Amino acid sequence: MVQSFTQLVVLSSAVVFIFIVYSVSNKSFDSSLFVSGLVNICRFQPLKLESATSIIRRVINNSSDDNEFFIFSDESPFVRKYLDVVRDTVCGLTLRTQDRTVGGTINNTSPLNIERRLKGEDWPLIGITMIGQKRLTNIEWALRRVIAKDVPGDFIECGVWRGGSSIFASAVLKALKINDRHVWLADSFQGLPKARTKNDNDEWSKLEYLKVSLEEVQTNFRSFDLLDDNVHFCKGYFVDSLPRCNISQIAVLRMDGDMYESTMDQLFNLYAKLQFDGVIIVDDYTVGECHRAVHDFRSWHNITEDITMIPEESAGRYWIKKKMIKVKMDRYKPLLVSSMKYTR
């Protein structure tokens, strides 16, 4: 048994090493095809979820508030190798000799800074998520946590850009053989909206680099062989799309909307669906408008759960929902101006 396990570890390490060497030396190499092929090679064994205590062991502390990073006793060692490859591919670290940092426009680029990319502090030219390796690891941590603790519900990301973060979330669920949880992507798929009120300005709406079509995101999912019936898209600006987004229970809510109004759209429409012990992740916590919206909403609803910094990076935060609340929709009414009139 030990010999078999060791052989698997050595083999999986060799596969990843060969992938990295070949991808760097061959510019025409399609890393996404390698990843989708690796899914078929792995043949992950389904998890046996008879009892939480029998299948969970604490391996590392990946969180500054002592929450466990759970692995499952019957995981193939290929799970870790596969997820590491997907994670680093979507954030542009696999082809690091070719990726660059975008400075506002696609024609203004600079050499890739690895440390900044790890923390999601730059915008990638090739990568399909801009949140970096550390915040991607936080997504995996959150999903493993809700699976281990049997928190009901799905994963939803609001503000998906090229879709890389949600692709990684899908990969985590697929690798762990979790078939009863879905992945939802909410986005306008045409960039950020113009401001509806004086709480925001129109600068975000002018950034062409942030405008990615639904078709491009779906193509990115297909390249990882992860576009299936468990992936859903809620298209439109949040104020219009989230009220009709047909997700009933949320285990992990990932917010990436930058603006005050967009953050409020997410919180007022989705927080009540976030289940007890579910995880809410705020990607843009250090953006002034987003920070103010989060704290206004928490203050209005007496939300007191600790806000925790994502380990080893500075922008993202999360908290674990420990109290169910009734959302005060009267507080939302002053912001309820449909964005449709601003896009014509």
Side-chain angles (χ1 to χ4, degrees):
M1 179 66 181
V2 174
Q3 183 180 9
S4 176
F5 178 85
T6 303
Q7 288 172 344
L8 278 173
V9 172
V10 172
L11 176 60
S12 59
S13 300
V15 169
V16 175
F17 177 75
I18 292 169
F19 160 74
I20 293 172
V21 171
Y22 189 70
S23 65
V24 169
S25 62
N26 189 341
K27 293 184 178 180
S28 64
F29 180 67
D30 189 339
S31 59
S32 62
L33 292 179
F34 175 89
V35 173
S36 60
L38 187 57
V39 179
N40 296 323
I41 294 173
C42 291
R43 296 180 181 176
F44 305 115
Q45 295 300 313
L47 296 176
K48 300 181 178 68
L49 298 175
E50 298 92 357
S51 67
T53 55
S54 67
I55 63 161
I56 297 168
R57 57 190 173 97
R58 182 174 180 171
V59 287
I60 61 172
N61 177 15
N62 189 51
S63 171
S64 57
D65 66 348
D66 288 331
N67 284 292
E68 297 92 342
F69 188 101
F70 292 108
I71 68 168
F72 300 92
S73 60
D74 51 0
E75 279 186 36
S76 162
F78 274 111
V79 169
R80 180 72 272 139
K81 297 299 182 182
Y82 165 67
L83 291 178
D84 285 350
V85 171
V86 175
R87 181 197 64 207
D88 289 353
T89 301
V90 297
C91 68
L93 284 171
T94 303
L95 301 178
R96 60 183 64 185
T97 60
Q98 300 180 43
D99 206 353
R100 294 176 65 83
T101 293
V102 174
T105 67
I106 204 73
N107 296 319
N108 179 19
T109 66
S110 59
L112 172 65
N113 181 305
I114 300 297
E115 289 302 316
R116 294 194 67 201
R117 181 62 57 86
L118 289 171
K119 297 179 180 180
E121 294 176 350
D122 73 335
W123 288 359
L125 178 66
I126 296 175
I128 57 175
T129 179
M130 59 179 68
I131 73 171
Q133 187 190 82
K134 304 303 181 182
R135 274 176 268 174
L136 286 168
T137 299
N138 173 251
I139 291 175
E140 182 182 352
W141 166 81
L143 287 169
R144 287 178 174 273
R145 184 186 187 280
V146 298
I147 293 166
K149 293 184 176 291
D150 201 25
V151 179
D154 297 336
F155 172 90
I156 183 169
E157 182 178 32
C158 301
V160 306
W161 193 48
R162 295 172 178 168
S165 303
S166 292
I167 287 171
F168 182 63
S170 297
V172 172
L173 296 177
K174 188 76 68 176
L176 296 178
K177 287 293 183 181
I178 304 299
N179 299 315
D180 59 348
R181 294 180 189 267
H182 293 220
V183 170
W184 298 73
L185 295 84
D187 201 290
S188 71
F189 300 102
Q190 57 180 326
L192 276 72
K194 293 182 178 179
R196 305 195 305 262
T197 70
K198 294 181 179 179
N199 291 290
D200 288 302
N201 59 61
D202 292 340
E203 293 306 309
W204 290 105
S205 67
K206 300 175 183 178
L207 296 174
E208 294 294 322
Y209 174 72
L210 300 180
K211 298 178 180 180
V212 180
S213 69
L214 173 59
E215 292 72 23
E216 181 176 341
V217 174
Q218 290 173 330
T219 296
N220 291 338
F221 263 86
R222 289 190 190 95
S223 71
F224 288 85
D225 195 22
L226 289 170
L227 186 63
D228 56 26
D229 291 341
N230 279 10
V231 178
H232 311 274
F233 300 91
C234 300
K235 184 177 181 179
Y237 293 125
F238 297 152
V239 66
D240 302 312
S241 64
L242 292 183
R244 62 174 185 266
C245 188
N246 195 30
I247 184 171
S248 57
Q249 291 183 314
I250 299 173
V252 179
L253 167 58
R254 189 172 196 284
M255 305 198 310
D256 192 352
D258 299 283
M259 302 168 66
Y260 183 93
E261 296 152 4
S262 296
T263 302
M264 285 299 193
D265 293 335
Q266 295 167 74
L267 289 167
F268 274 100
N269 285 287
L270 299 178
Y271 195 77
K273 296 182 179 182
L274 182 66
Q275 301 300 293
F276 179 84
D277 226 16
V279 181
I280 178 169
I281 303 167
V282 185
D283 185 84
D284 303 305
Y285 185 79
T286 55
V287 175
E289 291 80 6
C290 173
H291 182 277
R292 183 161 54 89
V294 166
H295 284 276
D296 282 351
F297 184 86
R298 284 171 57 94
S299 175
W300 295 340
H301 295 91
N302 193 30
I303 297 171
T304 57
E305 291 91 333
D306 290 340
I307 297 176
T308 302
M309 181 182 293
I310 294 174
E312 300 182 67
E313 72 97 53
S314 58
R317 301 289 192 278
Y318 69 90
W319 73 85
I320 298 170
K321 188 174 183 178
K322 294 295 185 180
K323 180 175 64 176
M324 303 303 289
I325 65 167
K326 182 177 181 180
V327 175
K328 300 177 180 178
M329 295 304 291
D330 59 308
R331 291 280 193 173
Y332 187 38
K333 289 180 180 178
L335 298 172
L336 274 179
V337 178
S338 173
S339 59
M340 299 172 83
K341 61 183 284 189
Y342 295 96
T343 59
R344 294 173 180 169

